[in-house]
Amino acid sequence: QLVESGGGSVQAGGSLRLSCACSGYCASGYCMAWFRQAPGKEREGVAAIDSDGSTSYADSVKGRFTISRDNAKNTVYLEMNNLKPEDTAVYYCAADLRRCSISWYRRQEYNSWGQGTQVTVS
């Protein structure tokens, strides 16, 4: 139901934009988020966007990443600038039927996941 795209390999300082298309039943009221998982590490919340457009970010990406959504297209984006090698990971899109909570960064908050897209920064 969630399909990510836009991953790839870039040099440090470069930019990428990830997209997450929601097919089937998708509601603008969903909380949408991006997570990432590096080899040997736990999946961590990167950013979330609520139905009213309010956003939340992990401290490690504040000022560099921007999450946005186009409800008409049922698509969520993650614009990533000034990428660093430590941003290398598989990035996952996630959705929750409810509004975003203060625990938006916990994977247990979400009931739908995409298959992931690889981002490699060298």
Side-chain angles (χ1 to χ4, degrees):
Q1 198 174 23
L2 299 175
V3 179
E4 302 97 335
S5 61
S9 297
V10 295
Q11 292 187 335
S15 299
L16 282 174
R17 188 176 83 154
L18 305 183
S19 299
C20 172
C22 183
S23 62
Y25 175 72
C26 293
S28 60
Y30 279 29
C31 176
M32 302 293 295
W34 286 96
F35 281 70
R36 66 186 181 186
Q37 189 167 16
K41 295 187 177 181
E42 293 190 357
R43 194 172 297 188
E44 62 174 355
V46 174
I49 186 165
D50 208 346
S51 56
D52 63 358
S54 58
T55 57
S56 300
Y57 295 94
D59 288 343
S60 58
V61 305
K62 281 182 181 177
R64 300 189 298 121
F65 290 11
T66 302
I67 188 172
S68 60
R69 66 194 296 166
D70 185 335
N71 290 331
K73 295 182 178 180
N74 288 332
T75 301
V76 176
Y77 305 97
L78 185 68
E79 184 76 34
M80 304 185 294
N81 297 315
N82 190 22
L83 282 161
K84 303 176 181 180
E86 51 264 43
D87 295 318
T88 296
V90 177
Y91 283 70
Y92 297 90
C93 179
D96 183 50
L97 293 171
R98 304 161 296 177
R99 296 284 301 274
C100 291
S101 76
I102 58 173
S103 300
W104 67 268
Y105 52 90
R106 298 177 70 242
R107 59 184 300 178
Q108 294 88 343
E109 294 290 303
Y110 301 88
N111 49 42
S112 295
W113 292 86
Q115 82 289 351
T117 185
Q118 177 70 47
V119 172
T120 303
V121 185
S122 59

